[in-house]
Amino acid sequence: MNAAPSPIELIFHKQQQLIEAFHGIEHPIMPDIHTLAGQQKLRLTVLFFIEELFEASDALNTLEDSPLEEFADALHFLIELAIFAGVKPAQLEESPASHIISVGGWQDVVLQAGSVVYNLKHKPWKRNPKPTSESNLRVSIIGLYAEFIALVGHYTITPDELFEAYHAKHQKNNERINSNV
């Protein structure tokens, strides 16, 4: 008898479905992390994650939008990044506190996002890039997830509330796909 998927496994599954749904719109479905083009896709995904963090910050400051929905949008891109890099749901669920470089503040999340990008060794200005360590990249993404969850917790948002908001946003994304918007 199979156990029910964990909340993070369910999110990974739904995010994989979105990646596949957008395959006709975007680049190759799974970027090759050892090529410049693949790493540019990962960098862009980190940038989208940071953009959503800004929107969450703006929502907290202006109270015009829901910060929870913006954090859920950020989670969307963070999970996509994890999938692209081969991080497994269990690795996020079991991530030790040693991955956290500080206490989950905004600056800590941005610094950890910088660590993810730093671990991508193909740079447009380098002719002979160093090989990218898949292990180091995954560890930095796991650390980013831990920092992000800690940041969200500062606003008394539990992981379960964040995951619930992700599922609601996933439904909106599916509606957009189905209506070609």
Side-chain angles (χ1 to χ4, degrees), residues 25-74:
I25 300 168
E26 295 188 8
H27 315 299
I29 196 163
M30 293 299 290
D32 179 350
I33 67 169
H34 297 289
T35 66
L36 177 59
Q39 290 189 11
Q40 294 294 62
K41 175 69 174 170
L42 270 68
R43 285 184 181 90
L44 188 59
T45 304
V46 170
L47 182 60
F48 291 154
F49 169 76
I50 291 172
E51 179 181 1
E52 294 300 338
L53 286 181
F54 174 81
E55 291 180 15
S57 173
D58 190 53
L60 287 163
N61 291 325
T62 64
L63 303 175
E64 291 178 17
D65 293 316
S66 164
L68 179 57
E69 184 173 339
E70 301 304 340
F71 281 129
D73 287 342

mmCIF file of all heavy atoms in Angstrom, residues 25-74:
data_model
loop_
_atom_site.group_PDB
_atom_site.id
_atom_site.type_symbol
_atom_site.label_atom_id
_atom_site.label_comp_id
_atom_site.label_asym_id
_atom_site.label_seq_id
_atom_site.Cartn_x
_atom_site.Cartn_y
_atom_site.Cartn_z
ATOM 1 N N ILE A 25 5.375 26.697 -24.728
ATOM 2 C CA ILE A 25 5.557 28.147 -24.691
ATOM 3 C C ILE A 25 7.023 28.505 -24.459
ATOM 4 O O ILE A 25 7.550 29.451 -25.028
ATOM 5 C CB ILE A 25 4.699 28.759 -23.552
ATOM 6 C CG1 ILE A 25 3.222 28.445 -23.781
ATOM 7 C CG2 ILE A 25 4.924 30.257 -23.438
ATOM 8 C CD1 ILE A 25 2.348 28.754 -22.586
ATOM 9 N N GLU A 26 7.684 27.736 -23.605
ATOM 10 C CA GLU A 26 9.035 28.082 -23.168
ATOM 11 C C GLU A 26 10.091 27.209 -23.831
ATOM 12 O O GLU A 26 9.826 26.459 -24.739
ATOM 13 C CB GLU A 26 9.112 27.960 -21.643
ATOM 14 C CG GLU A 26 8.233 28.967 -20.930
ATOM 15 C CD GLU A 26 8.441 28.982 -19.438
ATOM 16 O OE1 GLU A 26 9.372 28.324 -18.952
ATOM 17 O OE2 GLU A 26 7.682 29.653 -18.757
ATOM 18 N N HIS A 27 11.273 27.304 -23.283
ATOM 19 C CA HIS A 27 12.460 26.576 -23.751
ATOM 20 C C HIS A 27 12.295 25.071 -23.534
ATOM 21 O O HIS A 27 11.238 24.632 -23.109
ATOM 22 C CB HIS A 27 13.686 27.068 -22.984
ATOM 23 C CG HIS A 27 13.763 28.551 -22.874
ATOM 24 N ND1 HIS A 27 13.853 29.370 -23.965
ATOM 25 C CD2 HIS A 27 13.741 29.372 -21.810
ATOM 26 C CE1 HIS A 27 13.901 30.630 -23.568
ATOM 27 N NE2 HIS A 27 13.827 30.657 -22.275
ATOM 28 N N PRO A 28 13.350 24.316 -23.767
ATOM 29 C CA PRO A 28 13.255 22.877 -23.474
ATOM 30 C C PRO A 28 12.730 22.648 -22.059
ATOM 31 O O PRO A 28 13.005 23.419 -21.142
ATOM 32 C CB PRO A 28 14.700 22.396 -23.609
ATOM 33 C CG PRO A 28 15.344 23.374 -24.524
ATOM 34 C CD PRO A 28 14.661 24.694 -24.260
ATOM 35 N N ILE A 29 12.001 21.574 -21.920
ATOM 36 C CA ILE A 29 11.293 21.320 -20.667
ATOM 37 C C ILE A 29 12.235 21.263 -19.464
ATOM 38 O O ILE A 29 11.935 21.808 -18.422
ATOM 39 C CB ILE A 29 10.432 20.054 -20.795
ATOM 40 C CG1 ILE A 29 9.424 19.994 -19.683
ATOM 41 C CG2 ILE A 29 11.255 18.805 -20.879
ATOM 42 C CD1 ILE A 29 8.301 19.033 -19.926
ATOM 43 N N MET A 30 13.367 20.599 -19.602
ATOM 44 C CA MET A 30 14.325 20.503 -18.501
ATOM 45 C C MET A 30 15.667 21.014 -18.989
ATOM 46 O O MET A 30 16.302 20.398 -19.845
ATOM 47 C CB MET A 30 14.445 19.054 -18.024
ATOM 48 C CG MET A 30 13.184 18.522 -17.381
ATOM 49 S SD MET A 30 12.665 19.416 -15.908
ATOM 50 C CE MET A 30 13.931 18.924 -14.769
ATOM 51 N N PRO A 31 16.114 22.148 -18.468
ATOM 52 C CA PRO A 31 17.388 22.697 -18.935
ATOM 53 C C PRO A 31 18.564 21.812 -18.525
ATOM 54 O O PRO A 31 18.550 21.182 -17.469
ATOM 55 C CB PRO A 31 17.461 24.060 -18.239
ATOM 56 C CG PRO A 31 16.516 23.987 -17.103
ATOM 57 C CD PRO A 31 15.483 22.969 -17.450
ATOM 58 N N ASP A 32 19.562 21.755 -19.381
ATOM 59 C CA ASP A 32 20.801 21.038 -19.091
ATOM 60 C C ASP A 32 21.667 21.970 -18.246
ATOM 61 O O ASP A 32 22.151 22.991 -18.749
ATOM 62 C CB ASP A 32 21.507 20.673 -20.399
ATOM 63 C CG ASP A 32 22.824 19.939 -20.186
ATOM 64 O OD1 ASP A 32 23.311 19.861 -19.030
ATOM 65 O OD2 ASP A 32 23.372 19.454 -21.186
ATOM 66 N N ILE A 33 21.877 21.619 -16.991
ATOM 67 C CA ILE A 33 22.594 22.527 -16.085
ATOM 68 C C ILE A 33 24.084 22.617 -16.391
ATOM 69 O O ILE A 33 24.788 23.397 -15.762
ATOM 70 C CB ILE A 33 22.377 22.169 -14.599
ATOM 71 C CG1 ILE A 33 23.010 20.841 -14.243
ATOM 72 C CG2 ILE A 33 20.901 22.206 -14.250
ATOM 73 C CD1 ILE A 33 23.063 20.581 -12.754
ATOM 74 N N HIS A 34 24.561 21.872 -17.369
ATOM 75 C CA HIS A 34 25.975 21.930 -17.732
ATOM 76 C C HIS A 34 26.222 22.743 -18.999
ATOM 77 O O HIS A 34 27.331 22.749 -19.522
ATOM 78 C CB HIS A 34 26.542 20.510 -17.873
ATOM 79 C CG HIS A 34 26.497 19.756 -16.581
ATOM 80 N ND1 HIS A 34 27.321 20.058 -15.518
ATOM 81 C CD2 HIS A 34 25.694 18.759 -16.162
ATOM 82 C CE1 HIS A 34 27.045 19.256 -14.508
ATOM 83 N NE2 HIS A 34 26.049 18.466 -14.868
ATOM 84 N N THR A 35 25.181 23.436 -19.484
ATOM 85 C CA THR A 35 25.344 24.302 -20.654
ATOM 86 C C THR A 35 25.031 25.742 -20.263
ATOM 87 O O THR A 35 24.305 25.993 -19.287
ATOM 88 C CB THR A 35 24.390 23.890 -21.793
ATOM 89 O OG1 THR A 35 23.032 24.122 -21.375
ATOM 90 C CG2 THR A 35 24.591 22.432 -22.200
ATOM 91 N N LEU A 36 25.566 26.659 -21.038
ATOM 92 C CA LEU A 36 25.283 28.071 -20.787
ATOM 93 C C LEU A 36 23.788 28.342 -20.899
ATOM 94 O O LEU A 36 23.205 28.999 -20.032
ATOM 95 C CB LEU A 36 26.057 28.956 -21.764
ATOM 96 C CG LEU A 36 25.796 30.461 -21.651
ATOM 97 C CD1 LEU A 36 26.132 30.980 -20.253
ATOM 98 C CD2 LEU A 36 26.570 31.214 -22.717
ATOM 99 N N ALA A 37 23.137 27.817 -21.925
ATOM 100 C CA ALA A 37 21.696 28.054 -22.098
ATOM 101 C C ALA A 37 20.898 27.496 -20.922
ATOM 102 O O ALA A 37 19.976 28.145 -20.416
ATOM 103 C CB ALA A 37 21.210 27.438 -23.408
ATOM 104 N N GLY A 38 21.252 26.316 -20.469
ATOM 105 C CA GLY A 38 20.560 25.720 -19.325
ATOM 106 C C GLY A 38 20.766 26.526 -18.062
ATOM 107 O O GLY A 38 19.830 26.739 -17.280
ATOM 108 N N GLN A 39 21.988 26.995 -17.865
ATOM 109 C CA GLN A 39 22.262 27.787 -16.666
ATOM 110 C C GLN A 39 21.611 29.159 -16.734
ATOM 111 O O GLN A 39 21.198 29.702 -15.705
ATOM 112 C CB GLN A 39 23.772 27.887 -16.436
ATOM 113 C CG GLN A 39 24.346 26.546 -16.017
ATOM 114 C CD GLN A 39 25.782 26.608 -15.557
ATOM 115 O OE1 GLN A 39 26.338 27.682 -15.349
ATOM 116 N NE2 GLN A 39 26.383 25.447 -15.378
ATOM 117 N N GLN A 40 21.471 29.702 -17.939
ATOM 118 C CA GLN A 40 20.760 30.969 -18.062
ATOM 119 C C GLN A 40 19.293 30.791 -17.666
ATOM 120 O O GLN A 40 18.702 31.683 -17.060
ATOM 121 C CB GLN A 40 20.876 31.528 -19.492
ATOM 122 C CG GLN A 40 22.290 31.927 -19.881
ATOM 123 C CD GLN A 40 22.847 33.096 -19.085
ATOM 124 O OE1 GLN A 40 23.008 33.033 -17.859
ATOM 125 N NE2 GLN A 40 23.153 34.174 -19.770
ATOM 126 N N LYS A 41 18.703 29.639 -17.986
ATOM 127 C CA LYS A 41 17.325 29.347 -17.578
ATOM 128 C C LYS A 41 17.237 29.291 -16.052
ATOM 129 O O LYS A 41 16.288 29.820 -15.458
ATOM 130 C CB LYS A 41 16.865 28.025 -18.209
ATOM 131 C CG LYS A 41 15.511 27.554 -17.770
ATOM 132 C CD LYS A 41 14.392 28.429 -18.273
ATOM 133 C CE LYS A 41 13.053 27.810 -17.919
ATOM 134 N NZ LYS A 41 11.956 28.703 -18.160
ATOM 135 N N LEU A 42 18.224 28.680 -15.392
ATOM 136 C CA LEU A 42 18.226 28.637 -13.935
ATOM 137 C C LEU A 42 18.397 30.035 -13.345
ATOM 138 O O LEU A 42 17.717 30.398 -12.383
ATOM 139 C CB LEU A 42 19.306 27.691 -13.410
ATOM 140 C CG LEU A 42 18.855 26.244 -13.228
ATOM 141 C CD1 LEU A 42 18.564 25.556 -14.534
ATOM 142 C CD2 LEU A 42 19.886 25.472 -12.437
ATOM 143 N N ARG A 43 19.299 30.830 -13.925
ATOM 144 C CA ARG A 43 19.483 32.211 -13.447
ATOM 145 C C ARG A 43 18.175 33.003 -13.570
ATOM 146 O O ARG A 43 17.825 33.770 -12.680
ATOM 147 C CB ARG A 43 20.590 32.909 -14.237
ATOM 148 C CG ARG A 43 21.968 32.492 -13.876
ATOM 149 C CD ARG A 43 23.025 33.321 -14.652
ATOM 150 N NE ARG A 43 24.338 32.873 -14.289
ATOM 151 C CZ ARG A 43 25.007 31.908 -14.922
ATOM 152 N NH1 ARG A 43 24.481 31.330 -15.993
ATOM 153 N NH2 ARG A 43 26.200 31.547 -14.509
ATOM 154 N N LEU A 44 17.497 32.822 -14.689
ATOM 155 C CA LEU A 44 16.232 33.525 -14.906
ATOM 156 C C LEU A 44 15.191 33.081 -13.874
ATOM 157 O O LEU A 44 14.429 33.910 -13.357
ATOM 158 C CB LEU A 44 15.733 33.265 -16.330
ATOM 159 C CG LEU A 44 14.541 34.064 -16.810
ATOM 160 C CD1 LEU A 44 14.820 35.565 -16.752
ATOM 161 C CD2 LEU A 44 14.184 33.656 -18.237
ATOM 162 N N THR A 45 15.189 31.809 -13.535
ATOM 163 C CA THR A 45 14.253 31.297 -12.534
ATOM 164 C C THR A 45 14.557 31.911 -11.167
ATOM 165 O O THR A 45 13.638 32.277 -10.423
ATOM 166 C CB THR A 45 14.301 29.758 -12.493
ATOM 167 O OG1 THR A 45 14.039 29.257 -13.812
ATOM 168 C CG2 THR A 45 13.275 29.195 -11.534
ATOM 169 N N VAL A 46 15.837 32.061 -10.830
ATOM 170 C CA VAL A 46 16.220 32.732 -9.578
ATOM 171 C C VAL A 46 15.737 34.184 -9.610
ATOM 172 O O VAL A 46 15.210 34.691 -8.619
ATOM 173 C CB VAL A 46 17.743 32.659 -9.333
ATOM 174 C CG1 VAL A 46 18.165 33.547 -8.169
ATOM 175 C CG2 VAL A 46 18.192 31.217 -9.084
ATOM 176 N N LEU A 47 15.885 34.831 -10.747
ATOM 177 C CA LEU A 47 15.430 36.221 -10.877
ATOM 178 C C LEU A 47 13.917 36.327 -10.690
ATOM 179 O O LEU A 47 13.434 37.227 -9.995
ATOM 180 C CB LEU A 47 15.832 36.780 -12.241
ATOM 181 C CG LEU A 47 15.478 38.238 -12.504
ATOM 182 C CD1 LEU A 47 16.152 39.160 -11.497
ATOM 183 C CD2 LEU A 47 15.864 38.613 -13.923
ATOM 184 N N PHE A 48 13.159 35.393 -11.255
ATOM 185 C CA PHE A 48 11.706 35.394 -11.069
ATOM 186 C C PHE A 48 11.357 35.186 -9.591
ATOM 187 O O PHE A 48 10.425 35.798 -9.066
ATOM 188 C CB PHE A 48 11.029 34.314 -11.911
ATOM 189 C CG PHE A 48 11.078 34.567 -13.398
ATOM 190 C CD1 PHE A 48 11.008 33.497 -14.276
ATOM 191 C CD2 PHE A 48 11.188 35.841 -13.927
ATOM 192 C CE1 PHE A 48 11.035 33.695 -15.649
ATOM 193 C CE2 PHE A 48 11.225 36.054 -15.295
ATOM 194 C CZ PHE A 48 11.143 34.989 -16.164
ATOM 195 N N PHE A 49 12.111 34.317 -8.909
ATOM 196 C CA PHE A 49 11.917 34.087 -7.471
ATOM 197 C C PHE A 49 12.127 35.398 -6.705
ATOM 198 O O PHE A 49 11.303 35.776 -5.867
ATOM 199 C CB PHE A 49 12.903 33.001 -6.990
ATOM 200 C CG PHE A 49 12.995 32.864 -5.501
ATOM 201 C CD1 PHE A 49 11.993 32.229 -4.781
ATOM 202 C CD2 PHE A 49 14.092 33.355 -4.807
ATOM 203 C CE1 PHE A 49 12.082 32.089 -3.397
ATOM 204 C CE2 PHE A 49 14.196 33.216 -3.440
ATOM 205 C CZ PHE A 49 13.187 32.585 -2.728
ATOM 206 N N ILE A 50 13.211 36.108 -7.018
ATOM 207 C CA ILE A 50 13.508 37.372 -6.331
ATOM 208 C C ILE A 50 12.453 38.424 -6.651
ATOM 209 O O ILE A 50 12.042 39.200 -5.778
ATOM 210 C CB ILE A 50 14.936 37.854 -6.671
ATOM 211 C CG1 ILE A 50 15.953 36.892 -6.027
ATOM 212 C CG2 ILE A 50 15.165 39.287 -6.213
ATOM 213 C CD1 ILE A 50 17.383 37.126 -6.441
ATOM 214 N N GLU A 51 11.972 38.455 -7.881
ATOM 215 C CA GLU A 51 10.903 39.387 -8.246
ATOM 216 C C GLU A 51 9.660 39.145 -7.386
ATOM 217 O O GLU A 51 9.029 40.093 -6.903
ATOM 218 C CB GLU A 51 10.563 39.238 -9.726
ATOM 219 C CG GLU A 51 9.449 40.158 -10.183
ATOM 220 C CD GLU A 51 9.099 39.993 -11.648
ATOM 221 O OE1 GLU A 51 9.696 39.147 -12.345
ATOM 222 O OE2 GLU A 51 8.190 40.719 -12.103
ATOM 223 N N GLU A 52 9.318 37.877 -7.183
ATOM 224 C CA GLU A 52 8.154 37.556 -6.346
ATOM 225 C C GLU A 52 8.410 37.935 -4.886
ATOM 226 O O GLU A 52 7.485 38.347 -4.181
ATOM 227 C CB GLU A 52 7.772 36.085 -6.477
ATOM 228 C CG GLU A 52 7.270 35.695 -7.844
ATOM 229 C CD GLU A 52 6.033 36.449 -8.307
ATOM 230 O OE1 GLU A 52 5.284 36.992 -7.467
ATOM 231 O OE2 GLU A 52 5.803 36.493 -9.538
ATOM 232 N N LEU A 53 9.652 37.809 -4.428
ATOM 233 C CA LEU A 53 9.976 38.267 -3.068
ATOM 234 C C LEU A 53 9.748 39.767 -2.943
ATOM 235 O O LEU A 53 9.230 40.241 -1.929
ATOM 236 C CB LEU A 53 11.425 37.945 -2.705
ATOM 237 C CG LEU A 53 11.762 36.507 -2.401
ATOM 238 C CD1 LEU A 53 13.248 36.391 -2.047
ATOM 239 C CD2 LEU A 53 10.904 35.952 -1.271
ATOM 240 N N PHE A 54 10.150 40.519 -3.981
ATOM 241 C CA PHE A 54 9.904 41.956 -3.961
ATOM 242 C C PHE A 54 8.406 42.239 -3.878
ATOM 243 O O PHE A 54 7.963 43.103 -3.120
ATOM 244 C CB PHE A 54 10.499 42.651 -5.191
ATOM 245 C CG PHE A 54 10.119 44.098 -5.251
ATOM 246 C CD1 PHE A 54 10.810 45.033 -4.497
ATOM 247 C CD2 PHE A 54 9.027 44.527 -6.002
ATOM 248 C CE1 PHE A 54 10.434 46.374 -4.501
ATOM 249 C CE2 PHE A 54 8.637 45.849 -6.013
ATOM 250 C CZ PHE A 54 9.351 46.786 -5.260
ATOM 251 N N GLU A 55 7.622 41.498 -4.665
ATOM 252 C CA GLU A 55 6.173 41.699 -4.630
ATOM 253 C C GLU A 55 5.599 41.357 -3.256
ATOM 254 O O GLU A 55 4.680 42.036 -2.785
ATOM 255 C CB GLU A 55 5.500 40.881 -5.736
ATOM 256 C CG GLU A 55 5.804 41.416 -7.122
ATOM 257 C CD GLU A 55 5.153 40.637 -8.242
ATOM 258 O OE1 GLU A 55 4.234 39.834 -7.977
ATOM 259 O OE2 GLU A 55 5.564 40.827 -9.399
ATOM 260 N N ALA A 56 6.140 40.342 -2.592
ATOM 261 C CA ALA A 56 5.695 40.014 -1.228
ATOM 262 C C ALA A 56 6.049 41.151 -0.276
ATOM 263 O O ALA A 56 5.236 41.549 0.565
ATOM 264 C CB ALA A 56 6.323 38.703 -0.763
ATOM 265 N N SER A 57 7.255 41.683 -0.412
ATOM 266 C CA SER A 57 7.679 42.804 0.427
ATOM 267 C C SER A 57 6.788 44.016 0.192
ATOM 268 O O SER A 57 6.355 44.678 1.143
ATOM 269 C CB SER A 57 9.139 43.157 0.124
ATOM 270 O OG SER A 57 9.522 44.323 0.810
ATOM 271 N N ASP A 58 6.509 44.285 -1.067
ATOM 272 C CA ASP A 58 5.641 45.406 -1.408
ATOM 273 C C ASP A 58 4.247 45.207 -0.825
ATOM 274 O O ASP A 58 3.644 46.142 -0.289
ATOM 275 C CB ASP A 58 5.578 45.551 -2.937
ATOM 276 C CG ASP A 58 4.900 46.831 -3.366
ATOM 277 O OD1 ASP A 58 5.318 47.915 -2.900
ATOM 278 O OD2 ASP A 58 3.954 46.749 -4.174
ATOM 279 N N ALA A 59 3.735 43.972 -0.906
ATOM 280 C CA ALA A 59 2.410 43.676 -0.348
ATOM 281 C C ALA A 59 2.399 43.876 1.167
ATOM 282 O O ALA A 59 1.411 44.358 1.731
ATOM 283 C CB ALA A 59 1.989 42.251 -0.705
ATOM 284 N N LEU A 60 3.488 43.514 1.819
ATOM 285 C CA LEU A 60 3.578 43.717 3.272
ATOM 286 C C LEU A 60 3.596 45.196 3.624
ATOM 287 O O LEU A 60 3.028 45.609 4.643
ATOM 288 C CB LEU A 60 4.834 43.041 3.828
ATOM 289 C CG LEU A 60 4.786 41.521 3.891
ATOM 290 C CD1 LEU A 60 6.188 40.957 4.042
ATOM 291 C CD2 LEU A 60 3.888 41.067 5.043
ATOM 292 N N ASN A 61 4.223 46.006 2.774
ATOM 293 C CA ASN A 61 4.354 47.436 3.052
ATOM 294 C C ASN A 61 3.125 48.239 2.653
ATOM 295 O O ASN A 61 2.808 49.235 3.297
ATOM 296 C CB ASN A 61 5.593 47.998 2.347
ATOM 297 C CG ASN A 61 6.867 47.472 2.961
ATOM 298 O OD1 ASN A 61 6.949 47.252 4.164
ATOM 299 N ND2 ASN A 61 7.867 47.235 2.130
ATOM 300 N N THR A 62 2.439 47.845 1.593
ATOM 301 C CA THR A 62 1.314 48.643 1.099
ATOM 302 C C THR A 62 -0.043 48.070 1.491
ATOM 303 O O THR A 62 -1.036 48.786 1.425
ATOM 304 C CB THR A 62 1.351 48.752 -0.438
ATOM 305 O OG1 THR A 62 1.173 47.441 -0.999
ATOM 306 C CG2 THR A 62 2.653 49.373 -0.921
ATOM 307 N N LEU A 63 -0.067 46.799 1.834
ATOM 308 C CA LEU A 63 -1.298 46.096 2.178
ATOM 309 C C LEU A 63 -2.318 46.100 1.041
ATOM 310 O O LEU A 63 -3.506 45.929 1.257
ATOM 311 C CB LEU A 63 -1.912 46.677 3.457
ATOM 312 C CG LEU A 63 -1.007 46.670 4.687
ATOM 313 C CD1 LEU A 63 -1.676 47.364 5.851
ATOM 314 C CD2 LEU A 63 -0.622 45.246 5.049
ATOM 315 N N GLU A 64 -1.834 46.319 -0.204
ATOM 316 C CA GLU A 64 -2.730 46.301 -1.366
ATOM 317 C C GLU A 64 -2.954 44.894 -1.885
ATOM 318 O O GLU A 64 -4.009 44.592 -2.424
ATOM 319 C CB GLU A 64 -2.162 47.189 -2.476
ATOM 320 C CG GLU A 64 -2.195 48.659 -2.128
ATOM 321 C CD GLU A 64 -1.576 49.525 -3.208
ATOM 322 O OE1 GLU A 64 -1.408 49.051 -4.350
ATOM 323 O OE2 GLU A 64 -1.255 50.683 -2.909
ATOM 324 N N ASP A 65 -1.952 44.032 -1.790
ATOM 325 C CA ASP A 65 -2.048 42.652 -2.257
ATOM 326 C C ASP A 65 -1.791 41.723 -1.082
ATOM 327 O O ASP A 65 -1.343 42.148 -0.013
ATOM 328 C CB ASP A 65 -1.022 42.382 -3.363
ATOM 329 C CG ASP A 65 -1.318 43.149 -4.637
ATOM 330 O OD1 ASP A 65 -2.485 43.186 -5.044
ATOM 331 O OD2 ASP A 65 -0.362 43.713 -5.210
ATOM 332 N N SER A 66 -2.023 40.447 -1.312
ATOM 333 C CA SER A 66 -1.799 39.449 -0.274
ATOM 334 C C SER A 66 -0.340 39.004 -0.268
ATOM 335 O O SER A 66 0.131 38.434 -1.258
ATOM 336 C CB SER A 66 -2.687 38.227 -0.524
ATOM 337 O OG SER A 66 -2.229 37.131 0.224
ATOM 338 N N PRO A 67 0.378 39.263 0.828
ATOM 339 C CA PRO A 67 1.759 38.774 0.868
ATOM 340 C C PRO A 67 1.815 37.249 0.787
ATOM 341 O O PRO A 67 2.741 36.700 0.194
ATOM 342 C CB PRO A 67 2.305 39.282 2.202
ATOM 343 C CG PRO A 67 1.146 39.793 2.969
ATOM 344 C CD PRO A 67 0.019 40.001 2.027
ATOM 345 N N LEU A 68 0.815 36.571 1.321
ATOM 346 C CA LEU A 68 0.796 35.113 1.262
ATOM 347 C C LEU A 68 0.761 34.633 -0.187
ATOM 348 O O LEU A 68 1.484 33.711 -0.562
ATOM 349 C CB LEU A 68 -0.393 34.558 2.048
ATOM 350 C CG LEU A 68 -0.549 33.033 2.058
ATOM 351 C CD1 LEU A 68 0.707 32.349 2.589
ATOM 352 C CD2 LEU A 68 -1.767 32.650 2.885
ATOM 353 N N GLU A 69 -0.057 35.261 -1.014
ATOM 354 C CA GLU A 69 -0.113 34.862 -2.423
ATOM 355 C C GLU A 69 1.222 35.130 -3.119
ATOM 356 O O GLU A 69 1.672 34.333 -3.940
ATOM 357 C CB GLU A 69 -1.242 35.603 -3.152
ATOM 358 C CG GLU A 69 -1.385 35.135 -4.584
ATOM 359 C CD GLU A 69 -2.594 35.714 -5.304
ATOM 360 O OE1 GLU A 69 -3.544 36.157 -4.642
ATOM 361 O OE2 GLU A 69 -2.576 35.710 -6.543
ATOM 362 N N GLU A 70 1.867 36.244 -2.782
ATOM 363 C CA GLU A 70 3.169 36.551 -3.393
ATOM 364 C C GLU A 70 4.246 35.573 -2.916
ATOM 365 O O GLU A 70 5.105 35.157 -3.695
ATOM 366 C CB GLU A 70 3.570 37.998 -3.103
ATOM 367 C CG GLU A 70 2.586 39.036 -3.607
ATOM 368 C CD GLU A 70 2.283 38.962 -5.103
ATOM 369 O OE1 GLU A 70 3.075 38.379 -5.876
ATOM 370 O OE2 GLU A 70 1.229 39.484 -5.505
ATOM 371 N N PHE A 71 4.208 35.195 -1.640
ATOM 372 C CA PHE A 71 5.137 34.174 -1.152
ATOM 373 C C PHE A 71 4.870 32.842 -1.865
ATOM 374 O O PHE A 71 5.809 32.101 -2.174
ATOM 375 C CB PHE A 71 5.040 33.999 0.362
ATOM 376 C CG PHE A 71 5.749 35.051 1.166
ATOM 377 C CD1 PHE A 71 5.084 35.717 2.195
ATOM 378 C CD2 PHE A 71 7.077 35.374 0.936
ATOM 379 C CE1 PHE A 71 5.734 36.679 2.963
ATOM 380 C CE2 PHE A 71 7.742 36.334 1.697
ATOM 381 C CZ PHE A 71 7.070 36.984 2.713
ATOM 382 N N ALA A 72 3.603 32.525 -2.124
ATOM 383 C CA ALA A 72 3.267 31.297 -2.857
ATOM 384 C C ALA A 72 3.824 31.357 -4.283
ATOM 385 O O ALA A 72 4.317 30.353 -4.804
ATOM 386 C CB ALA A 72 1.759 31.073 -2.870
ATOM 387 N N ASP A 73 3.767 32.531 -4.905
ATOM 388 C CA ASP A 73 4.362 32.704 -6.228
ATOM 389 C C ASP A 73 5.873 32.476 -6.173
ATOM 390 O O ASP A 73 6.450 31.850 -7.070
ATOM 391 C CB ASP A 73 4.079 34.100 -6.782
ATOM 392 C CG ASP A 73 2.645 34.294 -7.229
ATOM 393 O OD1 ASP A 73 1.941 33.286 -7.436
ATOM 394 O OD2 ASP A 73 2.233 35.461 -7.372
ATOM 395 N N ALA A 74 6.513 32.988 -5.133
ATOM 396 C CA ALA A 74 7.954 32.776 -4.972
ATOM 397 C C ALA A 74 8.255 31.289 -4.800
ATOM 398 O O ALA A 74 9.213 30.760 -5.381
ATOM 399 C CB ALA A 74 8.480 33.580 -3.782
#
